[in-house]
């Protein structure tokens, strides 16, 4: 028995050694950066307080609510995917939190009946949900609103778009959420909300082959963009649910270096929208013209008095006035390193990015 056990052990060890030798070796970061297209440095000017989960891959995705009466009092919601949600002010300080689940990505919808925060809930890794909260704009507090099933699988990404609502005063707010499931499934979920009452129904479903996460909707065209981490960015037409997704931008190690992570979008008056993607493999961000799919520039968050970002997961972008330093818009990126400390989010002037890219 001892001899056979030793032989078995030797066989297992040899198999593991051979498998390890055959496994593809990770390309060093400096080589990935050298092989990719150039990226221009743009500094962050504000950073948030780190999330509560220390020394872990915890911070992930931000969302932005604009205070129309006082843009400097706008709020940022960020995920700590090990613990829950944090609400930050434009100064990066914590205003509120809801440490009630493993929320991976987050988005929000500001309607007549309140600001609905929607987080992808991966607390149950086999039955995904969307966790809904109401955000108090005065205090930054989050109140639980509903838990909406988003189907089998582990919840990863989420994005939202306005939906047609009944044309009458006091009608419920209507929104369409897209739940990006880790296995590559995208599920459309129609949601209405009024006075704390949430109703929902499933819509279309699409399937990509491998792991997905980031997604965003272009309000100008209704197009949905989904990031397949090792493949690239796909364009989906929700108005034609039977149509297959179309590859919009490939992770070719030039314009995009896998993983493709967070996606964000900026509308432009009189021009097509700009799509920004986290090119995680080379610590950069790629900017595309949505009308043509053309890469119009790449940048990194680096320089200035704050540390830069690396290994970014989620990003968010909002145009408009967000107070001093962000008069033309705000770009937010998760920082996977934060100078060797606990992860946080970095705030960058959208005007500074546009200027650096000559747009």
């Amino acid at each position: 028995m001892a001899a056979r056990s030793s032989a078995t052990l030797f066989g297992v060890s040899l198999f593991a050694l051979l498998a390890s030798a055959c496994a593809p070796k990770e390309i060093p970061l400096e080589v990935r950066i050298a092989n990719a297209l150039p990226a221009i440095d743009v500094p962050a000017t504000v950073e948030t307080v780190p999330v509560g989960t220390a020394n872990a891959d915890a911070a992930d995705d931000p969302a932005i609510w604009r205070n129309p009466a006082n843009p400097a009092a706008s709020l940022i919601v960020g995920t700590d995917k090990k613990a829950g949600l944090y609400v930050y002010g434009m100064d990066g300080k914590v205003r509120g939190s809801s440490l009630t689940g493993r929320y991976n990505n987050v988005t929000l919808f500001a309607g007549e009946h309140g600001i609905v925060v929607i987080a992808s809930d991966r607390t149950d890794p086999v039955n995904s949900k969307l966790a809904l909260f109401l955000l108090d704009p005065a205090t930054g507090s989050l109140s639980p609103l509903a838990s909406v099933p988003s189907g089998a699988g582990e919840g990863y990404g989420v994005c939202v778009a306005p939906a047609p609502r009944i044309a009458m005063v006091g009608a419920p707010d209507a929104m369409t959420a897209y739940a990006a499931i880790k296995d590559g499934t995208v599920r459309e979920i129609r949601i209405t909300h009024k006075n704390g009452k949430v109703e929902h129904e499933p819509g279309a479903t699409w399937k990509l082959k491998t792991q997905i996460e980031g997604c965003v909707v272009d309000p100008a065209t209704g197009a949905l963009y989904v990031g397949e981490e090792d493949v690239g960015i796909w364009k989906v037409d929700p108005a034609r649910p039977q149509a297959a997704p179309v590859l919009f931008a490939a992770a070719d190690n030039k314009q995009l270096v896998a993983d493709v992570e967070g996606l964000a979008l900026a509308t432009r008056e009189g021009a097509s929208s700009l799509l920004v993607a986290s090119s995680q493999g080379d610590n950069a961000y790629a900017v595309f013209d949505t009308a043509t799919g053309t890469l119009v520039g790449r940048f990194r968050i680096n320089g200035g008095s704050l540390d830069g970002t690396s290994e970014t997961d989620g990003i968010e972008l909002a145009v408009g006035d967000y107070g001093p330093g962000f008069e033309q818009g705000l770009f937010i990126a998760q920082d996977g390193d934060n100078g060797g400390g606990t992860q946080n989010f970095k705030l960058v002037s959208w005007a500074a990015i546009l200027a650096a890219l000559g747009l």
Side-chain angles (χ1 to χ4, degrees):
M1 288 294 293
R4 284 205 299 266
S5 296
S6 298
T8 301
L9 261 169
F10 175 76
V12 170
S13 300
L14 181 60
F15 177 79
L17 184 63
L18 289 171
S20 175
C22 294
K25 291 183 171 63
E26 182 176 353
I27 300 171
L29 174 60
E30 59 270 19
V31 175
R32 282 178 268 144
I33 291 175
N35 289 340
L37 293 172
I40 299 171
D41 286 350
V42 183
T45 54
V46 177
E47 64 179 344
T48 68
V49 171
V51 297
T53 303
N55 303 316
D57 181 19
D60 198 283
D61 192 48
I64 305 167
W65 171 74
R66 182 178 181 272
N67 187 326
N70 181 10
S74 299
L75 297 172
I76 299 160
V77 183
T79 61
D80 177 338
K81 59 191 174 189
K82 309 288 187 184
L85 300 172
Y86 286 92
V87 180
Y88 302 96
M90 290 296 294
D91 58 0
K93 295 179 180 178
V94 175
R95 297 286 191 271
S97 64
S98 179
L99 306 181
T100 52
R102 298 177 66 230
Y103 307 135
N104 200 60
N105 280 195
V106 66
T107 187
L108 57 81
F109 179 89
E112 182 180 321
H113 302 291
I115 306 161
V116 178
V117 172
I118 307 173
S120 56
D121 186 352
R122 59 191 292 199
T123 306
D124 181 345
V126 296
N127 295 293
S128 70
K129 298 179 180 66
L130 299 178
L132 274 57
F133 302 84
L134 279 178
L135 173 63
D136 186 325
T139 66
S141 64
L142 291 166
S143 303
L145 181 61
S147 179
V148 174
S150 51
E154 185 174 357
Y156 248 49
V158 64
C159 48
V160 70
R165 68 194 293 264
I166 301 171
M168 59 181 288
V169 175
D173 292 330
M175 63 204 84
T176 301
Y178 296 93
I181 309 304
K182 187 177 181 179
D183 68 0
T185 304
V186 182
R187 297 191 180 101
E188 181 183 63
I189 304 168
R190 304 183 188 100
I191 300 171
T192 60
H193 164 253
K194 180 181 178 180
N195 298 333
K197 181 181 179 181
V198 172
E199 296 184 349
H200 57 89
E201 63 177 6
T205 298
W206 300 270
K207 181 70 171 71
L208 299 176
K209 291 183 178 180
T210 60
Q211 184 170 317
I212 62 175
E213 185 169 1
C215 68
V216 68
V217 178
D218 185 351
T221 64
L224 168 67
Y225 297 88
V226 180
E228 187 175 8
E229 295 190 355
D230 291 334
V231 177
I233 303 168
W234 294 86
K235 184 177 181 179
V236 178
D237 184 358
R240 298 190 304 133
Q242 301 306 318
V246 175
L247 187 63
F248 174 81
D252 58 358
N253 295 321
K254 295 292 185 181
Q255 57 182 356
L256 286 171
V257 183
D259 292 355
V260 177
E261 291 284 342
L263 302 179
L265 191 136
T267 56
R268 297 186 291 175
E269 188 173 347
S272 53
S273 301
L274 295 176
L275 177 67
V276 184
S278 170
S279 177
Q280 191 184 68
D282 69 328
N283 297 337
Y285 309 91
V287 185
F288 298 91
D289 185 324
T290 55
T292 62
T294 303
L295 178 75
V296 298
R298 284 167 36 92
F299 67 96
R300 286 191 178 85
I301 299 176
N302 193 31
S305 60
L306 299 176
D307 63 300
T309 58
S310 60
E311 299 182 350
T312 292
D313 287 323
I315 59 175
E316 183 61 293
L317 172 56
V319 295
D321 184 7
Y322 284 82
F326 304 103
E327 292 85 355
Q328 293 183 42
L330 170 64
F331 179 78
I332 305 178
Q334 180 259 9
D335 184 2
D337 180 71
N338 194 25
T342 298
Q343 295 178 345
N344 70 350
F345 301 92
K346 299 293 196 292
L347 282 61
V348 184
S349 162
W350 179 235
I353 295 171
L354 292 176
L357 298 179
L359 298 174

